[in-house]
Every structure is written in structure tokens, then in C-alpha cells.
Amino acid sequence: MEFIDREREWGKQTLLEVLSVLQAIEFADYSEKTREKALQKLSSAVKELSRKDPTLENLLRLGLYTYAVELVREGRWEELGKLRRV
């Protein structure tokens, strides 16, 4: 049970970070400049995490950041609503 609680906490923290980046794009009316900055920030997080040991926490965080990168690259803004409900 303790493991599940820790995993949930890791996910929540990272999800809040990812959502804040995605919401910044939304607030900027999906401008190209904001999308580029968001991609840089998210990709930087992926790069940093991929250099660390593959712990469950790091892999969970990598998955969330990578998912967000794909949402931004493909302009799949409808998925943002689904991500908020996670």
C-alpha cells in the first residue's frame, strides 16, 4: 500500500508540472512561440530524466512528460481536458 501511495504522489506532482506548462500554452491562445517554449521545457525534462537511473518514479515522470510533448507537437488540445481528469 505504501508503494502505491508514493507512486500516486510522484504522479500528482509531475502531472501538476505538466498541466501548468500545457495551460500556459492555452492561456497564450496556442501561439507558436509559446508552444516552442513549452516543447523546449518538456523536452529538457525528458532529457534530464532519461540520464537518471530507471526507477519507477523516473519512468512515471518520463511517461507524463513524453505524453505532454506529443500533445504539443501534434496540437491535440482536446486531450488536455482528459489529462486534467486523471
Side-chain angles (χ1 to χ4, degrees), residues 5-60:
D5 291 339
R6 277 192 325 222
E7 187 176 299
R8 245 186 227 133
E9 188 58 35
W10 298 330
K12 284 181 186 177
Q13 290 172 0
T14 304
L15 184 59
L16 287 175
E17 292 171 25
V18 166
L19 283 172
S20 69
V21 171
L22 296 175
Q23 285 179 324
I25 298 169
E26 183 179 38
F27 292 146
D29 291 326
Y30 308 100
S31 78
E32 189 62 33
K33 186 175 182 179
T34 305
R35 288 172 62 180
E36 287 174 18
K37 285 184 179 183
L39 280 173
Q40 288 174 353
K41 182 173 181 67
L42 294 167
S43 295
S44 177
V46 168
K47 189 174 187 177
E48 179 184 327
L49 284 167
S50 69
R51 292 182 175 148
K52 295 183 178 187
D53 288 336
T55 64
L56 287 174
E57 176 183 3
N58 289 342
L59 294 173
L60 174 64

Side-chain angles (χ1 to χ4, degrees), residues 10 31 45 67 72 80:
W10 298 330
S31 78
Y67 180 73
V72 174
L80 181 56

